[in-house]
Amino acid sequence: HRDTAEDLVSITADTPRDTVGFTEPAVVADNIFTKHAEIFYEYARPFVGGRVSILADDRDYSASDELNERAYGGLLEIGYRPATLWEARLAAGYTFRDLPNARRADMGLGRTDNDSEISLRLLYRVQRHLTVSLRAAWRDRASTDPSVEFTEVVGGLALSYQR
């Protein structure tokens, strides 16, 4: 798994094409046309809540056709709030991505990815406007291009202020 933002920041117009990873096109600037649709249902009761969503995403790059992608997926999230200060959320998601013009490590064209994620988030409201959250997630990508496949466990700590 690679940090695409970090890769793109390090690429400039003067970067020789052969120094950039084969599956990562050198993009300096581009216009992206995005279509996004999402249908969701949320359920909330005093101690439990949930969300089910289905989405479709279409991204077309005007200068770099190899980055064009279509994605379809869904998410199921269940939350439990035993007290007003604490909340736990369990989520599972799946996304199918089709990148018809992507260059693969094996010199072929076109790629499909199957991304899965399971996460657990714990939230604690410190004050009325201040929340601390702790998150752990398992992510997996299966792809027709083995060079972009990965499985990872990630975690995070967040502090949010909402007015």
Side-chain angles (χ1 to χ4, degrees):
H1 175 63
R2 307 226 2 160
D3 186 347
T4 304
E6 182 179 303
D7 293 340
L8 291 177
V9 167
S10 65
I11 297 171
T12 66
D14 299 328
T15 304
R17 182 73 170 146
D18 58 353
T19 62
V20 179
F22 191 75
T23 60
E24 300 165 14
V27 176
V28 177
D30 202 345
N31 291 320
I32 305 167
F33 300 97
T34 302
K35 296 176 196 168
H36 179 83
E38 183 174 5
I39 298 173
F40 65 90
Y41 174 76
E42 290 184 335
Y43 173 80
R45 291 287 183 225
F47 297 105
V48 295
R51 177 183 173 105
V52 176
S53 66
I54 298 170
L55 65 92
D57 202 15
D58 183 3
R59 294 183 187 163
D60 290 321
Y61 291 75
S62 61
S64 306
D65 285 341
E66 59 205 69
L67 296 175
N68 292 348
E69 77 173 63
R70 286 174 181 70
Y72 308 96
L75 173 73
L76 172 64
E77 183 177 47
I78 299 170
Y80 175 65
R81 184 177 292 184
T84 56
L85 300 178
W86 287 95
E87 184 176 358
R89 296 181 189 167
L90 179 65
Y94 171 80
T95 304
F96 170 81
R97 296 184 193 288
D98 180 27
L99 295 94
N101 301 318
R103 289 181 290 168
R104 298 191 312 251
D106 67 358
M107 307 288 189
L109 228 96
R111 182 179 104 205
T112 58
D113 299 339
N114 294 290
D115 296 342
S116 303
E117 180 174 333
I118 298 172
S119 66
L120 176 64
R121 182 184 309 254
L122 302 173
L123 297 101
Y124 176 70
R125 186 177 301 261
V126 179
Q127 294 179 353
R128 181 177 179 177
H129 301 291
L130 188 64
T131 303
V132 175
S133 66
L134 180 64
R135 180 176 186 264
W138 171 85
R139 296 180 184 159
D140 180 69
R141 171 175 287 165
S143 178
T144 55
D145 182 356
S147 71
V148 297
E149 289 185 340
F150 66 88
T151 299
E152 65 183 0
V153 176
V154 295
L157 177 66
L159 184 63
S160 64
Y161 180 82
Q162 295 176 341
R163 194 109 171 107

